[in-house]
Amino acid sequence: MNIQGKTAVVTGAASGLGAACARMLASNGARVFLFDVNEGLGAALATELGGGARFVKADVSDADSLKAAYEQADGPLSIAIQCAGIGVSRRTVNKEGPMDLEQFSKVIRVNLIGTFNSIRLAAARMSTNEKDENGDRGVLVNTASIAAYDGQIGQAAYSASKGGVVGLTLPVARDLSGIGIRVCTIAPGIFDTPLLGSLPEDVRASLGAQVPHPSRLGQPSEFALLAKHIIENPMLNGETIRLDGALRMAPK
């Protein structure tokens, strides 16, 4: 699908991987709607991008909030990139006792249910589009993590949520194949996002050194580059692609 002139939505667009995808789409001529709970960062990015980019405050885990946000994304919607996500590090049993169930549930609500919430609303909009020369009406790109496969100590909630995103990729692609909507997921390794930005530089360097090649943290722009290729390559569908420099994470 040609990005030029298309309307796109990015969830979790205010920072990190989502912001990189929003920049990529805008630089390639798309009209971008930035969905995020962080109003300050989201509005600032929309101003930076210009060209009709617009921020809409939205909570992907809330059905009414995201539905209202999609209603503000006017015009034929062709691209949706799901980047909204959170993480928590808690052992199943720790010194205080069993992990708080609400902490586990919140990660599932945002990362897994929030991803599907955006998928279903975006796909419904895309289903009314005219098909392009490749038969596409739309493209959906989701964000998982290599933690879906190599979850570390304390990552039960995060790994389960991202494993769910991997698990829904193929059946949703099959669901939407008759409509002409493609679905792929990117499973990034260790990327230089705001979550890691709060860590000391020596810790960040140590994390990057664990990556076989290139031995560094991934850049959000590299995630966006793969998202761009998925959008533009008509044969990519129903697949989860690891983007990790050959990293396989140890238990901790």
Side-chain angles (χ1 to χ4, degrees):
M1 175 175 286
N2 184 6
I3 296 173
Q4 178 70 40
K6 298 297 192 299
T7 297
V9 160
V10 180
T11 71
S15 62
L17 304 179
C21 287
R23 289 188 174 97
M24 176 276 293
L25 290 165
S27 68
N28 283 274
R31 180 170 175 246
V32 189
F33 286 86
L34 316 174
F35 291 180
D36 205 291
V37 293
N38 192 318
E39 194 164 2
L41 288 178
L45 180 57
T47 299
E48 173 196 321
L49 297 179
R54 181 180 171 193
F55 170 74
V56 182
K57 188 173 183 178
D59 178 353
V60 297
S61 68
D62 183 275
D64 292 337
S65 173
L66 196 60
K67 181 175 182 289
Y70 266 101
E71 288 171 352
Q72 293 186 57
D74 56 313
L77 179 66
S78 299
I79 299 162
I81 303 180
Q82 283 64 238
C83 290
I86 60 173
V88 62
S89 180
R90 296 287 187 280
R91 292 183 184 235
T92 305
V93 177
N94 54 49
K95 290 181 292 186
E96 287 75 39
M99 179 181 178
D100 181 358
L101 189 59
E102 176 54 29
Q103 291 178 328
F104 188 96
S105 298
K106 183 176 181 180
V107 175
I108 298 296
R109 283 198 306 272
V110 174
N111 294 1
L112 176 56
I113 296 174
T115 293
F116 184 75
N117 193 18
S118 183
I119 286 172
R120 71 185 185 95
L121 294 170
R125 287 279 300 277
M126 292 172 179
S127 67
T128 63
N129 293 344
E130 294 293 326
K131 290 185 177 180
D132 67 12
E133 64 276 11
N134 294 306
D136 282 344
R137 284 194 169 99
V139 182
L140 300 165
V141 181
N142 309 314
T143 305
S145 166
I146 63 169
Y149 309 99
D150 310 331
Q152 296 184 297
I153 289 171
Q155 286 191 325
Y158 186 72
S159 295
S161 69
K162 295 303 188 177
V165 175
V166 172
L168 65 75
T169 301
L170 181 58
V172 171
R174 288 171 165 172
D175 282 351
L176 301 177
S177 61
I179 304 174
I181 297 172
R182 292 187 290 111
V183 184
C184 279
T185 293
I186 302 172
I190 305 175
F191 272 66
D192 193 6
T193 62
L195 183 64
L196 293 185
S198 61
L199 297 176
E201 186 56 39
D202 60 333
V203 175
R204 287 159 45 84
S206 175
L207 288 171
Q210 297 175 27
V211 182
H213 181 69
S215 293
R216 59 170 173 79
L217 300 178
Q219 295 302 310
S221 60
E222 293 166 330
F223 180 95
L225 186 63
L226 180 53
K228 179 177 185 287
H229 183 72
I230 290 169
I231 293 165
E232 294 178 336
N233 189 328
M235 201 60 185
L236 277 173
N237 193 19
E239 187 58 77
T240 298
I241 304 169
R242 291 181 67 128
L243 185 66
D244 59 17
L247 175 64
R248 299 298 181 267
M249 293 195 296
K252 62 179 179 178

